[in-house]
Amino acid sequence: VGRDPGVARLREPEGRIMFQYMMCFLIFTIGIYAVAGKKNLVKSIFGFIFMEYACVTILLLGSRNNMQVQSPVVFASVLLMTGLASTLVLCALVMRIFERYRTVDPNNIRKLRG
Amino acid sequence: MNEIILPLFIVVPLIAAALCLPLNYVNKRLPFLIAHVVTLFLLCISIAVIFMKPAESYMIYRIGSLPAPYGISLIFDGLSILFITIINFAAFMICIYSASYMEKYSGKEKYFALLLLMLAGLNGVVLTGDLLNMFLFIELASIASACLVGFGTGGEETEAALKYFIMGMVASMFIMLAIVLIFSLTGSTNLAEISVQLPCCNIAMRSFVIMLLMFGFLTKAAAAPFHAWLPDAHPVAPAPISAMLSGVLIKVLGIYTLIRIIFNVVGMSFSISHTLVFFGGLSIIVGSLLAIGQIDLKRLLACSSIAQIGYIILGVGLATPMGVMGGLFHLLNHSLIKPLLFLNAGSIEHSCHTRDLNKLGGLGQKMPVTGMTSMIATFALSGIPPFNGFWSKLFVIIACVQAGSIFAAFVAVAGSIYTLYYMLKVQRLAFFGDLPTELANIKKTPYTMGFSMVILAVLCFLFGVFFQHAISLLINPAVTAVSNGLAYGKVVLEVL
């Protein structure tokens, strides 16, 4: 389905491919930092979106060599869909938190502990 | 032709969940009826499918009849038998219990719709033979369970749901990264295809992927360093949902996926085994120590879940046939005992409107069914013969000694003693002693709630007395499927 030997493979220097992967992992780590380190739940949501898009970009980078039997584009759209669903649920929860506590700082809503 | 039954496990609850909301406008009782009929039907076909499956082979259903790497297939083997039975049995018991317990909540149609969605996700995780599908079903179950945790919509509930969902999503993101890297390495998401291709890949890349997957699945299973969300999320949910989360969900999303990927897809190795034994032992220690200090009944039970998950990971991580058998048998037993304890806690909360152990006492006379079943569950969980928990803990400890890890065996024994301590504390504070005056005229437990608790307690006893039969019916096929190891991929690809 996705295998298309007729398309000439784009030859790119190894260094540039490595650079692109490194950038994707950097975006992923920025996402982790935003989720774990930021004192604002809205920024955490952005962190999740960063992580998700880094994954999708790694998927598309990794499937340039035409060895895949399944279509990477379908795969990528499925991942985006699941990410969208989870992000929406997360947004709903953050809105509920804001309605109740009038804050989006996780340090101010500590009713539960550890 | 028997394999036509497999998609029913996923399709029927999904359709029923979609029907719950519109049919509520026709009659308020219909969602309730649908949930009961569907869970009973799923329980029946999950028992039927045990006897339909030919021994030592796989039942495979190809969606759309497409051949192996292109189409998606549902694969049913010995490991799936164990988990399918656990999931659908627990779901049926919880549905019966919910009938009376959910009276005080509004929006029951949403509750049953979410419960059925979660059931579809759990069945899907267990049946699918495709990594991407497994991820989708994990997400489905996680989203449904996060909504159920926050079902009470109070401040505490919303906060716990948010914490649970954020931790779950971080784990999901790591799993997603691992799946994407596996797809780049092998060009497929079919588990069988991956298990054939992955051993040829770059060793550094493979280790990185395994690390990501283990982090993700251990977080989903609430093993020790990644357990922080569990003591918050499980107590605030409605009691039947706590029972479902602690009894089934963490095992399916964490342990099943871990076993399937580690044993059948990437292959067990010395270092993975040591890592799992370490996390298992750590979970036993941390879970037991956390549980001792709790005075909130459901929070104590949730902390105890961490310790029991530790036994399962310890047993499975030893990777000897005895260890895997002990771990999986403990998984089966814990999926009976922990729902029973949470249902008891729900029954206490239903009658006394508090979960604080210091405000309870003397409930043994007022609530005889809850008292008796709770006593049985206490003995079973802390490993007192002849109840089922004794045999599984014994198998895990013997397996530790056989594998030469005396320290792990020591930790397992110590964890068992701690379990006895904190469970007897619950018994003493809640069911013995003097009845406080404000609890003098509490309501009796409704019959539907008592029914589920009695059935679970009887099964705890029967699985302890006739443990050989339970092992030969449910555990041995699972151990065979696990110990097939990487042969899984070759066999499945031949059949596909």
Side-chain angles (χ1 to χ4, degrees):
Chain A
V1 180
R3 198 195 293 272
D4 189 3
V7 178
R9 201 179 135 187
L10 266 174
R11 287 251 165 233
E12 282 184 83
E14 283 287 320
R16 191 187 296 170
I17 295 176
M18 208 60 218
F19 176 72
Q20 287 161 345
Y21 270 110
M22 282 300 143
M23 281 296 124
C24 286
F25 278 106
L26 185 67
I27 295 174
F28 193 84
T29 359
I30 292 172
I32 297 175
Y33 169 69
V35 171
K38 282 289 169 190
K39 303 237 176 303
N40 186 337
L41 288 173
V42 180
K43 288 183 185 166
S44 304
I45 298 178
F46 282 112
F48 282 119
I49 296 174
F50 267 57
M51 283 154 92
E52 197 186 302
Y53 287 0
C55 286
V56 174
T57 320
I58 291 174
L59 168 71
L60 296 177
L61 279 180
S63 47
R64 280 179 308 188
N65 46 9
N66 286 326
M67 61 168 281
Q68 275 73 25
V69 285
Q70 289 158 335
S71 166
V73 179
V74 176
F75 191 168
S77 50
V78 167
L79 286 190
L80 288 176
M81 280 300 165
T82 28
L84 188 64
S86 331
T87 314
L88 285 178
V89 174
L90 196 57
C91 289
L93 284 171
V94 173
M95 276 163 67
R96 271 278 166 79
I97 288 277
F98 183 72
E99 276 169 15
R100 190 160 284 272
Y101 294 96
R102 289 284 144 193
T103 175
V104 283
D105 185 350
N107 289 342
N108 295 340
I109 53 169
R110 281 282 156 82
K111 219 178 187 180
L112 305 163
R113 66 242 176 271
Chain B
M1 276 312 286
N2 284 338
E3 62 271 11
I4 199 78
I5 209 169
L6 293 181
L8 290 183
F9 281 109
I10 304 165
V11 173
V12 172
L14 273 182
I15 293 176
L19 283 179
C20 269
L21 297 179
L23 283 182
N24 184 49
Y25 293 107
V26 181
N27 188 336
K28 294 277 182 205
R29 301 291 287 176
L30 274 177
F32 167 83
L33 196 69
I34 289 175
H36 280 67
V37 171
V38 165
T39 45
L40 179 62
F41 171 71
L42 289 178
L43 178 63
C44 291
I45 60 173
S46 65
I47 290 170
V49 85
I50 296 176
F51 299 103
M52 275 181 195
K53 186 184 111 48
E56 307 290 320
S57 76
Y58 299 89
M59 267 169 86
I60 293 176
Y61 177 81
R62 284 179 218 86
I63 296 175
S65 310
L66 283 166
Y70 301 104
I72 294 166
S73 45
L74 302 179
I75 297 174
F76 189 77
D77 66 351
L79 194 59
S80 315
I81 286 183
L82 174 65
F83 279 88
I84 277 284
T85 322
I86 289 176
I87 294 167
N88 293 302
F89 177 72
F92 180 57
M93 284 297 134
I94 278 154
C95 234
I96 292 179
Y97 186 91
S98 305
S100 317
Y101 184 84
M102 295 307 289
E103 289 295 327
K104 58 185 173 189
Y105 289 90
S106 61
K108 283 194 258 317
E109 74 282 3
K110 298 193 189 76
Y111 170 82
F112 284 115
L114 285 169
L115 186 64
L116 288 169
L117 265 186
M118 186 165 86
L119 190 58
L122 293 175
N123 281 336
V125 170
V126 172
L127 285 178
T128 186
D130 186 283
L131 199 54
L132 179 61
N133 273 41
M134 193 185 264
F135 177 72
L136 290 185
F137 286 123
I138 288 176
E139 284 292 280
L140 177 60
S142 304
I143 289 176
S145 60
C147 297
L148 283 168
V149 166
F151 195 74
T153 63
E156 218 175 72
E157 280 94 344
T158 317
E159 196 187 328
L162 183 78
K163 193 170 179 182
Y164 171 48
F165 198 63
I166 285 186
M167 287 294 276
M169 239 180 119
V170 172
S172 293
M173 286 300 158
F174 277 88
I175 297 170
M176 191 200 263
L177 183 61
I179 293 175
V180 162
L181 289 175
I182 287 178
F183 184 75
S184 307
L185 286 173
T186 63
S188 175
T189 54
N190 193 309
L191 287 178
E193 181 91 13
I194 294 168
S195 77
V196 174
Q197 299 260 357
L198 202 63
C200 323
C201 296
N202 184 354
I203 179 89
M205 217 43 206
R206 214 172 70 206
S207 320
F208 182 57
V209 166
I210 293 171
M211 246 163 54
L212 289 174
L213 283 174
M214 275 177 67
F215 171 77
F217 292 139
L218 286 174
T219 310
K220 292 272 182 198
F226 321 114
H227 65 276
W229 56 271
L230 190 140
D232 286 337
H234 288 191
V236 300
I241 297 306
S242 312
M244 194 73 185
L245 292 180
S246 253
V248 178
L249 190 113
I250 53 174
K251 298 195 184 71
V252 174
L253 298 194
I255 306 289
Y256 169 81
T257 44
L258 194 68
I259 293 177
R260 179 65 87 202
I261 302 278
I262 295 294
F263 282 89
N264 291 149
V265 177
V266 299
M268 195 65 176
S269 73
F270 193 66
S271 49
I272 296 177
S273 163
H274 273 237
T275 319
L276 286 182
V277 168
F278 171 74
F279 282 129
L282 194 66
S283 301
I284 296 177
I285 298 170
V286 171
S288 304
L289 291 180
L290 274 177
I292 283 175
Q294 304 295 336
I295 49 157
D296 183 336
L297 175 55
K298 280 171 87 178
R299 208 178 163 85
L300 185 146
L301 296 177
C303 293
S304 148
S305 280
I306 301 171
Q308 308 305 320
I309 279 291
Y311 278 98
I312 299 167
I313 295 177
L314 176 62
V316 170
L318 290 170
T320 57
M322 186 77 175
V324 174
M325 189 186 80
L328 290 177
F329 192 36
H330 195 65
L331 188 147
L332 173 64
N333 294 336
H334 187 240
S335 74
L336 293 172
I337 303 166
K338 198 43 71 77
L340 174 55
L341 281 166
F342 268 114
L343 297 188
N344 285 328
S347 150
I348 293 174
E349 199 186 0
H350 186 78
S351 298
C352 311
H353 307 289
T354 180
R355 302 195 305 246
D356 191 339
L357 283 171
N358 290 333
K359 292 180 187 159
L360 298 171
L363 294 176
Q365 318 134 23
K366 284 277 174 187
M367 310 167 83
V369 176
T370 312
M372 280 304 294
T373 49
S374 175
M375 185 63 94
I376 291 175
T378 300
F379 287 156
L381 190 65
S382 40
I384 291 184
F387 295 101
N388 52 4
F390 168 71
W391 299 108
S392 49
K393 286 194 179 178
L394 187 70
F395 293 150
V396 171
I397 292 164
I398 292 176
C400 287
V401 175
Q402 278 180 351
S405 24
I406 301 297
F407 185 68
F410 175 73
V411 167
V413 173
S416 186
I417 295 169
Y418 276 127
T419 312
L420 185 62
Y421 170 72
Y422 60 72
M423 288 314 296
L424 283 182
K425 187 181 93 172
V426 172
Q427 290 298 312
R428 190 175 63 80
L429 290 176
F431 294 103
F432 295 99
D434 302 324
L435 193 71
T437 44
E438 60 267 29
L439 298 181
N441 41 11
I442 51 175
K443 287 181 286 183
K444 278 190 75 177
T445 312
Y447 289 113
T448 49
M449 286 160 77
F451 175 76
S452 320
M453 294 192 286
V454 169
I455 295 277
L456 285 168
V458 167
L459 278 178
C460 283
F461 181 71
L462 288 183
F463 275 30
V465 178
F466 303 106
F467 70 99
Q468 314 95 322
H469 297 89
I471 286 177
S472 65
L473 187 65
L474 289 172
I475 306 295
N476 279 346
V479 175
T480 317
V482 170
S483 52
N484 275 347
L486 289 175
Y488 166 85
K490 293 191 193 77
V491 176
V492 170
L493 278 185
E494 268 170 25
V495 184
L496 275 174

